[in-house]
Amino acid sequence: MTETPPIYDNVPGNYYDKYNTRNPIARYLMNGFLVSFDELTGKTNARKVYEVGCGEGNLSMRLHDRGWDVRGSDLEISSVAEANQQCATRGIAPRFEARSLFDLTREEASAELVICCEVLEHVPQTERALAVLKSLANPYLLLSVPREPIWRILNLARGRYIKDLGNTPGHIQHWSSANFTDMLGKTMKVVEVRTPLPWTMVLCRCD
């Protein structure tokens, strides 16, 4: 009898606090990412948000501070603890829990806007992950991934991950902007695409 191979939720990578970095180049790039994030989330007119792969909660808290009702989850327990510490700092109840993307249900995690940024590049089963995200989005879904091959070229330019040809540890999926957008367009409506260097960010409707 052949055993079914295990299903892994994602592949862990390196940790880098890009939201609070003091490196001037990294701060410039992150500012471009956040400008696109603010503009695309603003286009939805949503106020209830669920962030899948919330990490330390920086994007969710950015929306909370603008008056949005946010919740979220992440596979990493330590990241969830940091995200809930951000809630405590603001004097609000914990909004985040440790959950696998694949365990989320519409009853628990549906929201007007579902956010999944910098997650899919770590997930082996892209189609399965997108099906879950689409089921949660009511109706908007905002996704971002590293833009290839620019991401790896920039890593090589700064002398990182040379033996892996610039691939960041844990990145097992690689998309150009066109390829990523085309993939999303097969099962949902692409509303708008942004390409803040070096990412692809896409706002979709799933109704």
Side-chain angles (χ1 to χ4, degrees), residues 28-76:
Y28 173 80
L29 295 176
M30 278 308 305
N31 183 64
F33 177 94
L34 292 172
V35 167
S36 291
F37 177 83
D38 289 344
E39 291 177 353
L40 290 182
T41 54
K43 287 179 178 290
T44 67
N45 292 319
R47 283 299 176 264
K48 292 184 181 296
V49 180
Y50 193 95
E51 185 179 5
V52 179
C54 64
E56 294 74 35
N58 292 290
L59 293 179
S60 284
M61 289 295 97
R62 187 177 184 87
L63 293 175
H64 170 269
D65 293 345
R66 289 161 45 191
W68 296 45
D69 180 7
V70 301
R71 297 177 298 135
S73 58
D74 196 278
L75 195 61
E76 300 294 334

Side-chain angles (χ1 to χ4, degrees), residues 92-108:
I92 61 175
R95 303 292 178 88
F96 307 99
E97 61 178 344
R99 292 286 297 277
S100 164
L101 181 163
F102 296 111
D103 291 338
L104 296 174
T105 66
R106 188 173 180 85
E107 291 73 24
E108 298 170 308

Side-chain angles (χ1 to χ4, degrees), residues 8-203:
Y8 297 102
D9 291 314
N10 67 16
V11 177
N14 65 331
Y15 174 76
Y16 174 61
D17 186 4
K18 56 183 177 288
Y19 294 99
N20 298 299
T21 179
R22 295 191 178 187
N23 180 290
I25 296 176
R27 287 179 66 88
Y28 173 80
L29 295 176
M30 278 308 305
N31 183 64
F33 177 94
L34 292 172
V35 167
S36 291
F37 177 83
D38 289 344
E39 291 177 353
L40 290 182
T41 54
K43 287 179 178 290
T44 67
N45 292 319
R47 283 299 176 264
K48 292 184 181 296
V49 180
Y50 193 95
E51 185 179 5
V52 179
C54 64
E56 294 74 35
N58 292 290
L59 293 179
S60 284
M61 289 295 97
R62 187 177 184 87
L63 293 175
H64 170 269
D65 293 345
R66 289 161 45 191
W68 296 45
D69 180 7
V70 301
R71 297 177 298 135
S73 58
D74 196 278
L75 195 61
E76 300 294 334
I77 295 175
S78 59
S79 295
V80 170
E82 290 188 45
N84 282 326
Q85 182 56 49
Q86 291 210 50
C87 295
T89 300
R90 290 166 171 79
I92 61 175
R95 303 292 178 88
F96 307 99
E97 61 178 344
R99 292 286 297 277
S100 164
L101 181 163
F102 296 111
D103 291 338
L104 296 174
T105 66
R106 188 173 180 85
E107 291 73 24
E108 298 170 308
S110 179
E112 295 170 314
L113 171 62
V114 171
I115 295 170
C116 187
C117 289
E118 307 309 287
V119 173
L120 291 178
E121 64 271 20
H122 299 276
V123 178
Q125 300 179 36
T126 304
E127 291 184 3
R128 184 179 171 216
L130 287 176
V132 173
L133 294 170
K134 183 180 176 182
S135 75
L136 303 178
N138 187 28
Y140 287 104
L141 174 62
L142 181 66
L143 303 127
S144 74
V145 294
R147 178 158 38 119
E148 297 290 4
I150 293 174
W151 183 274
R152 281 176 288 183
I153 290 172
L154 291 178
N155 275 338
L156 289 172
R158 64 193 184 101
R160 299 298 302 275
Y161 317 127
I162 301 297
K163 67 178 182 179
D164 295 317
L165 300 179
N167 187 58
T168 300
H171 287 196
I172 60 172
Q173 307 287 359
H174 307 90
W175 295 283
S176 67
S177 289
N179 288 341
F180 188 62
T181 304
D182 288 346
M183 177 181 68
L184 298 178
K186 293 177 180 178
T187 59
M188 58 192 88
K189 178 182 178 181
V190 173
V191 176
E192 189 164 340
V193 180
R194 297 290 181 91
T195 54
L197 190 70
W199 292 278
T200 302
M201 188 179 295
V202 185
L203 178 64

